Amino acid sequence: MSIRVIRKNLPGALLGLCAASAFGFASPALAQDPGTGLPPVPQQAVDVSDQQIETFAKAQERVVEIGQKWNQQVQEQGEPSPEDIRKARESAHQEMVIAVEAVGMSVEDYNRIAMAVQGDPDLQKRVQSAR
């Protein structure tokens, strides 16, 4: 499956994550600050195995690294154009998708866990412990 097809089918959560992670917001999941314009995420209990937590933690670390790399590249341009920022976001997004899948996790599972981590302090602790 090509990256283009994967990108077309990605849920919005990873898109938001990529933008946040790649461009100055290295948070591991979507921000829920009312000032961001993002809708609040409904909180649901999610059953996540220890293996899934370990895989998620590996993927998350890589996603943050990729975001930081692309953020640095954009910042080094001084005042990048909107087109430069768009291209960097697309490139970061592609790398993040590859990184998530490379650790053996689907983008959908990554997003599901990332969203669950947002509102579950116990799950957050489990992810931190897996690092």
Side-chain angles (χ1 to χ4, degrees), residues 93-113:
H93 179 256
Q94 290 174 356
E95 278 190 51
M96 289 174 182
V97 169
I98 291 168
V100 167
E101 292 177 341
V103 298
M105 178 168 271
S106 72
V107 171
E108 292 78 16
D109 283 346
Y110 181 89
N111 287 336
R112 178 180 61 83
I113 295 170

